[in-house]
Amino acid sequence: MDVAKTKDNVILYHSRSNNLDQARRKSIKVVNQKRSERPDDFVRRADYSSEKSYKSALNSARRKLRKDGVDVITSVVQPSADFINQFDRSQQIKFFHDCLDVMNSDRETYGRTLAAVVHFDENIPHMQVISSTISLQTLNFMTKKMFGNKTKMSRDQTKFVEAVQAKGWQVERGLQRVNNPDYQNFKTEAELKELQVNRFTDEKIFQAEKVINQARLEQEKSLKFFKESQNKLADLESKHQQFDKKVSKTKDLIDHISDEINPQSKIERKLNLAVNFSSNHLYNPFEISIEVFFKSLKSVKKSLKIGKMN
């Protein structure tokens, strides 16, 4: 291990021995010794039809572990950049510590932890865990039971994320590739676009598709808003036209009343309009009609007053 290159890394757990391989070999030696000391009744005689088959089973139980057996595995806990980079260094370490607690609580799935290191010397912080697949209780390899098949590994990944979420972290599971119709549909559509989809590229392609789909949704929202705005504007224009018509009808009514009361008001109105037009003065016909109307009323009142005096 080059300390100069990994000075920013944080060790969450390590075995008592400074030499991991030496500790591993010692552990195997202890297990083999315990296997050789298994008593005769470790294998039930009643389960075998002959003495020979019984002896064979007992010898197998006492035999050393296979040298070609997988006794150590490496797991990597790799959250997305968007998730892990929102936290400061102490929170990031706390997150990985909780992940390690989840693994240590289920040795049948993740093995027995020998070392765990959080790497900060790369683009995205992640944790590397080295585990032993040898059970100190059964003295056997747990490799097959731990890995199983693709379906089990996918299910274990989902359980892991759920256990971390239960600790308060809003982390999301990565792409579920196994027994997932949605993923298969996504992969088929991507391949039809001549995109190369595999476990190294599918996450990036999926995220790109997600961004594109989000952009389309935003575009549709903008278009909908634009159409709604146009409809509202057309409605306002229609209401304005209706208001203009009402104003025009009211003006005509007032003019008519004025003419009925005082026929000369019609001549005055025309003269006023002519003056306004000739002086390029903007006017409001509605205001002119009201003014003429009140003048007419004054004229009528004056006439009535003179009639009484006579």
Side-chain angles (χ1 to χ4, degrees):
M1 181 179 290
D2 190 338
V3 178
K5 291 183 178 180
T6 58
K7 61 182 180 180
D8 293 330
N9 296 345
V10 177
I11 299 175
L12 296 186
Y13 179 81
H14 64 86
S15 60
R16 295 178 181 178
S17 173
N18 292 328
N19 190 318
L20 188 60
D21 187 61
Q22 183 179 3
R24 165 180 162 268
R25 293 176 182 275
K26 183 178 180 181
S27 177
I28 293 175
K29 184 177 181 180
V30 171
V31 169
N32 284 336
Q33 181 63 35
K34 289 183 177 180
R35 286 173 64 91
S36 67
E37 296 172 353
R38 281 171 169 169
D40 292 348
D41 59 356
F42 180 80
V43 177
R44 283 170 35 109
R45 175 65 182 83
D47 294 337
Y48 297 90
S49 57
S50 65
E51 185 69 16
K52 183 178 180 180
S53 59
Y54 161 72
K55 290 290 186 181
S56 176
L58 183 60
N59 290 335
S60 179
R62 290 172 174 172
R63 192 177 300 130
K64 293 181 179 180
L65 294 172
R66 293 181 53 173
K67 292 183 178 180
D68 60 350
V70 177
D71 64 289
V72 172
I73 61 170
T74 300
S75 304
V76 177
V77 178
Q78 176 85 65
S80 68
D82 291 340
F83 172 79
I84 197 65
N85 288 334
Q86 67 180 308
F87 304 116
D88 59 27
R89 181 61 60 87
S90 61
Q91 288 176 310
Q92 290 174 341
I93 294 173
K94 177 66 168 58
F95 168 75
F96 288 115
H97 211 295
D98 285 346
C99 290
L100 185 61
D101 285 344
V102 171
M103 298 177 74
N104 287 336
S105 66
D106 187 2
R107 289 187 173 182
E108 289 188 359
T109 300
Y110 305 106
R112 178 168 47 88
T113 302
L114 300 177
V117 180
V118 179
H119 289 267
F120 291 106
D121 55 342
E122 298 181 30
N123 293 333
I124 303 176
H126 59 277
M127 178 172 66
Q128 184 177 16
V129 182
I130 300 176
S131 307
S132 172
T133 65
I134 300 175
S135 170
L136 298 181
Q137 284 72 41
T138 64
L139 307 180
N140 294 320
F141 290 118
M142 299 186 297
T143 314
K144 289 184 178 180
K145 188 175 182 179
M146 287 169 58
F147 287 95
N149 51 29
K150 289 183 178 181
T151 300
K152 181 184 182 304
M153 287 190 289
S154 178
R155 187 169 58 249
D156 288 343
Q157 186 175 353
T158 300
K159 286 171 57 180
F160 175 77
V161 173
E162 290 174 349
V164 175
Q165 290 173 341
K167 288 182 173 290
W169 300 98
Q170 300 302 313
V171 64
E172 294 183 1
R173 188 197 190 287
L175 286 179
Q176 184 177 344
R177 301 177 178 90
V178 181
N179 296 333
N180 184 3
D182 291 337
Y183 177 81
Q184 296 303 322
N185 292 335
F186 151 73
K187 184 177 180 181
T188 300
E189 291 177 3
E191 289 174 346
L192 289 174
K193 298 175 184 177
E194 298 184 355
L195 297 174
Q196 192 173 26
V197 181
N198 53 51
R199 63 186 300 270
F200 301 104
T201 63
D202 57 5
E203 187 78 37
K204 294 180 180 179
I205 295 173
F206 180 80
Q207 291 300 328
E209 291 282 352
K210 190 175 180 181
V211 171
I212 292 172
N213 290 335
Q214 185 63 32
R216 286 174 179 167
L217 288 175
E218 293 297 330
Q219 185 181 31
E220 290 175 0
K221 286 182 181 178
S222 299
L223 183 60
K224 183 180 179 181
F225 177 77
F226 176 72
K227 289 181 177 179
E228 289 176 350
S229 299
Q230 281 188 319
N231 293 335
K232 288 181 180 179
L233 181 59
D235 184 55
L236 287 174
E237 289 179 351
S238 176
K239 289 180 179 179
H240 181 68
Q241 291 174 358
Q242 292 175 8
F243 177 76
D244 285 347
K245 288 179 180 179
K246 289 181 180 180
V247 169
S248 179
K249 288 181 179 180
T250 304
K251 178 254 182 189
D252 292 341
L253 179 60
I254 292 174
D255 288 346
H256 179 71
I257 295 173
S258 298
D259 295 343
E260 290 291 331
I261 295 174
N262 184 9
Q264 179 137 1
S265 66
K266 186 174 183 180
I267 298 173
E268 292 177 356
R269 186 169 63 254
K270 288 182 178 180
L271 288 173
N272 286 334
L273 291 175
V275 170
N276 285 318
F277 274 121
S278 63
S279 62
N280 294 323
H281 177 69
L282 296 176
Y283 69 95
N284 187 331
F286 184 65
E287 291 178 357
I288 291 173
S289 298
I290 293 176
E291 184 180 354
V292 172
F293 175 71
F294 281 113
K295 282 183 179 179
S296 300
L297 286 178
K298 287 181 181 179
S299 178
V300 171
K301 287 180 179 180
K302 188 175 181 181
S303 299
L304 291 173
K305 187 175 181 182
I306 293 171
K308 286 182 178 180
M309 290 176 64
N310 293 332

